[in-house]
Amino acid sequence: MLHEFTTGDMWKSCHSANRMIEARPAEFVEVDHFLTEDEIQQDPIRVRLRAFGLESGLCAVIPMPGGDVVTFIHMKAATKIAYRPPEVEAMNALRPHLGRAALLAGRLGLEQAQNTVHVMEKLGLPAAVLTARGRVLAVNALLERLPKLFIPRAHGGLSLATSKADALLQTALAELSDEAHTAVRSIPIPAGEDHPAMVVHLLPLRRTARDIFTRADVLIAATEMRLNGLGPPTELLMGLFDLTPAEARLAATLTSGKSLQTAAKEQGIQFSTSRAYLSQIFRKTGTHQQSQLVALLRGAQPLRG
């Protein structure tokens, strides 16, 4: 339930959470003192907590320098009587330490994000680190030099310049934390006046910072596409566009200028199977025609230097 609460939008329907965020009490206070009896009984989160034998108890809200707030909640058994003054005093004695710990954790996460994008800059890759909800934590100088490709959104978010690519990006960000979804995570961007053709990649960051944060982080990196008229290796296509080995082999064959029927024969698969593969390749590369696909893939080259 905690995971669902912190990674989704459950908190928006929680009277207790919203009332505490609005009030931002400087010390630990009893949540019920800020709610009506009807709000206590009808709060959907409180209803679920009671099923676990729990009630909201003491709460403190600590604002962070970056605009976030950290909420500490001490739960109590549903049958427990109200807190005694010494218990509240004991929690308030801990509050300064909790505040410092939250601040240090936030600084650590920001430093990790900045280090990540700095390393990507050294590799020649424009990059940014985002929260699971799409809020930008850090960007490197290479990405900042592409203001007409990567556009800031409200509330610290990030958009792509073309509407189709941005729709894929926002869908991928929304579904990235749910491993049951197969959202597109490699998004092709056509060339513009101020930038070459690129592929934008979304990668979930799995690291020890999960021990500190309840939110997931996402790395966004952009790979430049350089046209040279040659087809890319299948391993590169698999990495760039999330293609399966069979899809990558078919795509590479098509890039050499061969027809789908000839490519299917060379790969030893049925023509109907090749058409199904091609449909998946179109979806993953954001193309709709074989000519578009060939033009895109001929620009996929590995990093050099």
Side-chain angles (χ1 to χ4, degrees):
M1 179 178 173
L2 179 62
H3 177 75
E4 182 181 353
F5 183 87
T6 55
T7 59
D9 293 330
M10 184 191 293
W11 62 273
K12 292 182 179 180
S13 63
C14 178
H15 300 314
S16 303
N18 284 283
R19 194 61 50 80
M20 290 293 94
I21 291 174
E22 291 172 3
R24 298 195 179 189
E27 297 182 331
F28 275 97
V29 297
E30 290 202 52
V31 176
D32 289 355
H33 291 172
F34 291 76
L35 300 169
T36 66
E37 188 61 34
D38 286 343
E39 288 175 329
I40 295 173
Q41 296 302 319
Q42 297 175 11
D43 190 325
I45 307 302
R46 302 289 289 274
V47 172
R48 293 183 61 177
L49 285 173
R50 291 187 197 107
F52 297 140
L54 297 172
E55 283 282 1
S56 289
L58 298 177
C59 177
V61 179
I62 303 176
M64 295 286 105
D68 291 335
V69 293
V70 177
T71 305
F72 293 95
I73 302 176
H74 183 277
M75 312 299 293
K76 65 178 181 178
T79 56
K80 186 179 179 180
I81 61 176
Y83 287 91
R84 294 180 289 110
E87 295 172 330
V88 180
E89 292 175 5
M91 290 298 296
N92 280 323
L94 293 174
R95 185 187 178 281
H97 305 294
L98 295 173
R100 283 190 289 271
L103 179 61
L104 288 172
R107 294 293 188 188
L108 175 61
L110 182 59
E111 182 178 346
Q112 289 175 326
Q114 290 172 334
N115 287 340
T116 299
V117 296
H118 181 67
V119 169
M120 302 301 282
E121 183 176 339
K122 293 294 184 182
L123 294 174
L125 296 175
V129 171
L130 282 64
T131 68
R133 294 183 180 180
R135 180 182 174 189
V136 176
L137 293 176
V139 299
N140 64 20
L142 295 179
L143 188 137
E144 289 179 333
R145 292 173 194 162
L146 299 169
K148 294 187 177 181
L149 176 60
F150 296 95
I151 302 173
R153 289 170 62 96
H155 309 296
L158 190 69
S159 293
L160 295 176
T162 63
S163 58
K164 182 177 179 181
D166 187 56
L168 291 174
L169 172 65
Q170 303 310 322
T171 299
L173 286 173
E175 298 181 347
L176 199 57
S177 60
D178 187 351
E179 296 182 358
H181 288 278
T182 56
V184 175
R185 289 176 172 80
S186 294
I187 303 170
I189 308 293
E193 295 182 359
D194 302 302
H195 62 82
M198 308 187 83
V199 178
V200 175
H201 310 277
L202 282 75
L203 302 93
L205 299 180
R206 313 298 186 191
R207 58 179 192 262
T208 55
R210 287 290 187 84
D211 295 335
I212 300 174
F213 298 104
T214 55
R215 63 188 184 188
D217 291 326
V218 179
L219 172 65
I220 287 184
T223 303
E224 182 178 342
M225 307 287 283
R226 298 182 178 89
L227 294 174
N228 69 348
L230 300 176
T234 57
E235 294 82 1
L236 183 62
L237 294 181
M238 292 167 61
L240 282 177
F241 300 103
D242 306 326
L243 300 183
T244 66
E247 292 167 352
R249 288 193 296 270
L250 179 65
T253 304
L254 293 175
T255 305
S256 66
K258 297 178 181 178
S259 67
L260 181 61
Q261 188 169 11
T262 300
K265 186 176 181 180
E266 288 189 4
Q267 298 299 318
I269 58 177
Q270 296 291 326
F271 183 65
S272 59
T273 302
S274 70
R275 293 184 62 180
Y277 285 166
L278 184 60
S279 177
Q280 290 298 314
I281 295 169
F282 283 158
R283 181 183 68 82
K284 292 179 179 180
T285 59
T287 57
H288 300 280
Q289 298 176 351
Q290 190 169 325
S291 58
Q292 292 178 329
L293 175 67
V294 171
L296 174 68
L297 297 188
R298 283 182 176 175
Q301 295 299 317
L303 293 172
R304 302 191 184 281

